[in-house]
Amino acid sequence: MYNFDVLLERRHTDSTKWDAMERDYGRDDLMPFWVADADFPVLPEINQALQERSGEGMTFGYTFAGERYYNSIIAWNRERHGLELEKEFLIPAPGVITALSVVLLSVAEKGDKILVNPPVYSPFFTVVKGLGYELFESPLLYNGESYELDFEDIEKKFKEGVSIYILCSPHNPVGRVWKEEELKRLSSLCKQYGVLIISDEIHYDIVYPGYRHLSILNVDEDAVMITAPSKTFNIAGLKSSIIIIKNMELREKVGDFAASMHLYINLFAYRATETAYEKGGPWVDEMMAYLEENARFVVGYITKYLPKVKVAMPESTYLMWMDFSGCRFTQEELFLKMRDEAKVALNFGAEYGSGYEQFVRLNIACPRRYLEEGMEHIRNSLANK
């Protein structure tokens, strides 16, 4: 029903992914596989809804979250994730990292110790440090096939005074979907040491067959969940996210702080969110089937043509974590080879934590033929070593 093979022309639209490569890579003639947004046409009903809202005779005055907005979020989470929510649990916010900052500023004091699991989404580092908190790290363990939480190290860090734990669920960039027993064990540790879990679940709709995302709120009702339609429906530029808190005392703290800062989302974000969650189910299902085939193509291609590179089929996200350590490049050599020979823009591993300098993150949310061309560029560049 939907066509994901269309290659959109996104240059000269102030697209970060397509128009910021000169700024971040020093050249603008690269194939972009970096910023985590998709090169797929947006759900048609979203375009229609925004066009109707901006039609002739319309104004753009102050707006607020109406019942339709709340009901769409509640229905989506019940039907897609088995998560029962109430309107009172939901706090709109303009973006997941803004939402994370709001929660931290609401509940933490300067100098508080906050734990993350590298390799992990880089804004976690910048937000924690930038807001004046002390960053603690518990690196994920690699078992030869996938990454796991290091519960012994997590508990050690809790004993050292960590008060807040930022969980990436599903995990970006390694693509793990945490199992129920992992989340329950994590919740139990947090309860034992009085640690608040803040769970970034922005990728929770992008889960491959054989895996099931479980929200932290289904195992810990005192946790904070942050999510958004932005990754799922490729509407990150509209800045719509949701802070979800069941604990009333905690919710009042966060809600009051957000209100004091006037951190609301805009009227187009409200309309896009409503439309996505009301009408986007079939679109997401088709996109996931397409992404699964893209991921399988990359795994097969690397297995066949690039045996020194290691990659695993992701459990979630449209991001693939690729290990180039077998190629024996320095960090600088890998960057220059990908930029100047392969002519692809990738996210490089050092961005996600120390010790990952030989890794890259590849965004596969693009038409298959474009992904095939990008992989050929990488293959040809490595043939030149």
Side-chain angles (χ1 to χ4, degrees):
M1 179 178 176
Y2 300 102
N3 186 359
F4 296 97
D5 285 317
V6 175
L7 183 59
L8 302 174
E9 178 51 72
R10 299 183 64 191
R11 291 188 185 273
H12 311 301
T13 64
D14 293 330
S15 161
T16 300
K17 185 177 184 180
W18 286 81
D19 292 327
M21 288 184 288
E22 176 69 39
R23 180 194 71 191
D24 289 6
Y25 292 84
R27 57 190 304 168
D28 63 0
D29 60 344
L30 309 179
M31 299 181 72
F33 297 100
W34 60 310
V35 175
D37 69 14
D39 289 310
F40 298 139
V42 75
L43 175 71
E45 289 86 347
I46 293 177
N47 270 333
Q48 181 181 352
L50 298 187
Q51 289 168 9
E52 290 174 356
R53 183 60 184 82
S54 61
E56 185 177 355
M58 289 292 186
T59 60
F60 305 107
Y62 291 115
T63 189
F64 64 94
E67 291 301 312
R68 182 183 168 195
Y69 169 82
Y70 290 111
N71 290 341
S72 69
I73 296 168
I74 291 169
W76 182 266
N77 280 278
R78 178 189 302 119
E79 295 163 10
R80 306 287 293 203
H81 299 289
L83 180 61
E84 293 293 336
L85 301 175
E86 299 176 13
K87 173 183 175 181
E88 289 73 22
F89 299 165
L90 309 178
I91 303 171
V96 163
I97 294 304
T98 301
L100 173 61
S101 300
V102 167
V103 176
L104 291 176
L105 290 168
S106 302
V107 302
E109 301 292 335
K110 294 285 187 180
D112 278 2
K113 300 172 181 178
I114 299 177
L115 183 67
V116 301
N117 299 121
V120 75
Y121 185 48
S122 57
F124 287 3
F125 303 121
T126 54
V127 165
V128 170
K129 293 177 181 178
L131 294 179
Y133 307 117
E134 186 176 355
L135 179 69
F136 273 52
E137 299 182 16
S138 178
L140 298 177
L141 292 175
Y142 185 65
N143 64 16
E145 295 182 357
S146 66
Y147 287 86
E148 300 176 346
L149 296 167
D150 186 343
F151 286 102
E152 290 186 4
D153 187 61
I154 289 171
E155 183 171 14
K156 176 185 174 184
K157 301 297 168 48
F158 286 178
K159 288 179 179 178
E160 293 174 7
V162 163
S163 60
I164 295 175
Y165 178 89
I166 303 175
L167 175 68
C168 197
S169 178
H171 194 281
N172 170 15
V174 306
R176 269 299 315 276
V177 176
W178 305 118
K179 297 175 182 177
E180 182 174 3
E181 55 265 33
E182 291 174 302
L183 293 176
K184 285 184 174 179
R185 185 175 177 185
L186 184 61
S187 173
S188 178
L189 274 176
C190 288
K191 295 286 188 188
Q192 180 181 347
Y193 290 95
V195 175
L196 172 68
I197 300 175
I198 304 174
S199 183
D200 172 359
E201 303 190 17
I202 193 172
H203 294 276
Y204 75 154
D205 292 315
I206 308 173
V207 175
Y208 296 105
Y211 301 96
R212 173 179 171 262
H213 172 79
L214 184 67
S215 169
I216 191 63
L217 291 177
N218 276 328
V219 298
D220 187 342
E221 294 198 343
D222 291 319
V224 175
M225 172 185 169
I226 302 172
T227 192
S230 53
K231 287 290 181 286
T232 309
F233 294 99
N234 208 30
I235 54 173
L238 293 177
K239 297 294 184 182
S240 176
S241 69
I242 311 110
I243 304 169
I244 307 177
I245 306 175
K246 291 187 175 183
N247 181 295
M248 184 175 67
E249 181 181 354
L250 181 59
R251 185 171 69 244
E252 288 179 351
K253 280 185 180 180
V254 175
D256 288 348
F257 183 83
S260 73
M261 297 292 291
H262 292 259
L263 288 173
Y264 309 118
I265 68 176
N266 69 69
L267 63 90
F268 289 105
Y270 285 128
R271 185 59 56 87
T273 300
E274 297 161 357
T275 306
Y277 286 149
E278 289 172 350
K279 300 180 179 180
W283 186 89
V284 173
D285 294 339
E286 290 191 30
M287 179 187 69
M288 288 309 306
Y290 194 93
L291 288 174
E292 182 184 10
E293 289 305 310
N294 274 5
R296 293 195 184 282
F297 161 73
V298 171
V299 171
Y301 192 95
I302 289 177
T303 300
K304 184 175 181 179
Y305 296 114
L306 301 170
K308 292 184 179 180
V309 178
K310 296 178 182 178
V311 69
M313 184 73 186
E315 300 171 3
S316 176
T317 80
Y318 50 68
L319 308 165
M320 299 190 72
W321 188 236
M322 301 166 62
D323 179 0
F324 279 74
S325 59
C327 299
R328 301 187 181 279
F329 295 123
T330 66
Q331 179 180 341
E332 181 69 11
E333 287 172 341
L334 180 59
F335 173 81
L336 293 175
K337 183 164 281 289
M338 292 298 103
R339 187 191 69 172
D340 297 334
E341 295 184 34
K343 292 190 176 180
V344 294
L346 304 167
N347 291 107
F348 290 86
E351 177 181 339
Y352 303 94
S354 177
Y356 304 100
E357 291 79 9
Q358 304 303 314
F359 289 77
V360 302
R361 191 188 76 169
L362 171 76
N363 180 346
I364 63 169
C366 61
R368 184 88 30 80
R369 58 192 173 92
Y370 195 78
L371 181 61
E372 291 170 356
E373 182 181 350
M375 292 306 299
E376 288 176 5
H377 280 216
I378 293 173
R379 176 191 177 188
N380 291 337
S381 75
L382 295 182
N384 295 331
K385 179 172 170 58

